[in-house]
Amino acid sequence: MSIRHSLLALLQDQPRYGYELRVEFEERTGAAWPLNIGQVYTTLERLERDGLVSKDGDDGGGHVVYSITDAGLAEVGAWFEGAVDRGSPPRNEIAIKLALAVTLPGVDASAVIQAQRDVSVRALQEHTQARKAVPANQRSADTALLLVLDSLIFQAEAEVRWLDLCEARMVQAQAKAGEANPA
């Protein structure tokens, strides 16, 4: 996730200080990916170093207000115009855990799959309930929340389907092992 570009996008709306950016980001994304305030300020320092934002003084309450520069506008415009690179997938802890579980002796991979399925189904149910709770008279903030919730629902559905496939592959592998080593 590009915090850098997200903060630039929010700053093109209006100048803000770090905490405001954090709150605005979480409101617009349904708080699905909470930001650490330290990460926000570190990112703002880098954006300033790179000439993409500038300090506009403070708000009178001691908060440093940042605004986007022309270079920052160009950067965020290019971000919105381009697609997200899917070339190098992020590490998937569940896939790593299962790959190790099926290759190490003494690990009950079926139990690992079932435990994860329980968590994934629960997440799917929670996201679906949250989706149903969004009012029908949508504002733009509701549309943003719906997009995030739909993404989370599809991810959880895909994860449950993938866990089903993992279980089926394990059954196949056990059947093949039984054929190769008849008692």
Side-chain angles (χ1 to χ4, degrees):
M1 170 176 56
S2 176
I3 301 305
R4 169 185 179 98
H5 291 107
S6 298
L7 296 182
L8 284 172
L10 292 171
L11 285 171
Q12 72 179 353
D13 203 21
Q14 70 183 50
R16 293 185 166 95
Y17 57 89
Y19 185 76
E20 287 177 316
L21 287 165
R22 176 182 171 219
V23 168
E24 194 67 26
F25 175 86
E26 291 179 3
E27 283 181 8
R28 292 185 191 223
T29 61
W33 303 282
L35 289 181
N36 177 301
I37 192 65
Q39 182 181 20
V40 171
Y41 281 106
T42 300
T43 303
L44 285 169
E45 288 171 11
R46 289 184 186 134
L47 290 169
E48 182 183 23
R49 176 200 68 202
D50 296 342
L52 302 175
V53 301
S54 63
K55 292 180 182 172
D56 280 351
D58 73 34
D59 66 348
H63 303 108
V64 176
V65 176
Y66 292 85
S67 62
I68 193 166
T69 64
D70 289 341
L73 287 169
E75 172 99 5
V76 77
W79 180 62
F80 278 124
E81 289 172 8
V84 174
D85 182 13
R86 303 297 290 185
S88 180
R91 286 192 181 112
N92 182 326
E93 185 175 351
I94 301 164
I96 293 167
K97 186 177 185 177
L98 284 175
L100 293 172
V102 299
T103 59
L104 292 171
V107 178
D108 184 353
S110 294
V112 172
I113 291 170
Q114 188 54 50
Q116 188 62 48
R117 181 183 288 113
D118 292 345
V119 169
S120 300
V121 167
R122 194 172 324 112
L124 176 58
Q125 291 168 339
E126 289 169 4
H127 298 320
T128 302
Q129 289 299 346
R131 172 76 168 78
K132 289 178 183 176
V134 177
N137 58 342
Q138 300 173 3
R139 298 183 318 259
S140 64
D142 292 333
T143 301
L145 176 59
L146 289 172
L147 291 173
V148 170
L149 288 172
D150 288 342
S151 174
L152 295 172
I153 289 167
F154 285 126
Q155 289 172 20
E157 286 175 342
E159 189 169 286
V160 170
R161 287 180 49 213
W162 174 72
L163 290 167
D164 291 344
L165 177 63
C166 290
E167 191 169 58
R169 288 192 196 265
M170 287 186 51
V171 169
Q172 284 177 332
Q174 289 169 351
K176 284 182 183 177
E179 291 171 10
N181 301 321

